[in-house]
Amino acid sequence: PPLEVVPLDENFNITDDTRMRAALPTLKKILADGGSVIIGSHLGRPKGPADKFSLKHILKHLEELLGVEVQFANDCMGEEAAVKAAALQPGEVLLLENLRFYDGIDKLD
């Protein structure tokens, strides 16, 4: 499921996690029913990969909200993401890197 990303301050602290909390019932239901979850989302409007737009900054907070370890793929379409997604076991979560790091993704909005 998509996860609406939250605003971050200049130190990458989440300033409002309302959107993350809104997705929790769905994500927790999938996990409770024995499923695994792959989360894809976006942050900002980068012109290619940039640390300040990385979703890795929300990883720890997402783990706290879900109460499980969340794996992270440094890519959303490459080999690393595919391998990690294929290896997910029931109850596991994978967060993919910012979808907007790729040309053409904005055309999908």
Side-chain angles (χ1 to χ4, degrees):
L3 178 68
E4 293 292 330
V5 174
V6 297
L8 302 174
D9 67 17
E10 63 279 353
N11 295 313
F12 307 115
N13 297 307
I14 295 170
T15 58
D16 181 357
D17 72 351
T18 302
R19 292 176 172 176
M20 290 176 77
R21 290 184 183 279
L24 288 179
T26 301
L27 300 175
K28 287 184 174 186
K29 170 84 167 111
I30 293 167
L31 296 172
D33 288 351
S36 56
V37 176
I38 301 171
I39 301 171
S41 193
H42 58 82
L43 177 63
R45 298 240 179 228
K47 303 290 185 208
D51 184 63
K52 74 178 189 175
F53 295 113
S54 176
L55 295 184
K56 70 183 178 188
H57 302 297
I58 71 163
L59 190 61
K60 182 177 180 187
H61 190 65
L62 183 58
E63 289 178 332
E64 291 170 1
L65 292 174
L66 288 173
V68 299
E69 179 182 348
V70 177
Q71 299 175 51
F72 184 73
N74 292 301
D75 198 349
C76 67
M77 302 183 339
E79 183 176 345
E80 179 188 0
V83 168
K84 286 185 174 186
L88 277 182
Q89 298 297 307
E92 293 184 335
V93 180
L94 172 63
L95 175 63
L96 302 175
E97 183 54 280
N98 192 340
L99 301 175
R100 287 208 169 126
F101 284 177
Y102 293 90
D103 288 337
I105 199 72
D106 288 337
K107 293 176 180 67
L108 300 175
D109 284 346

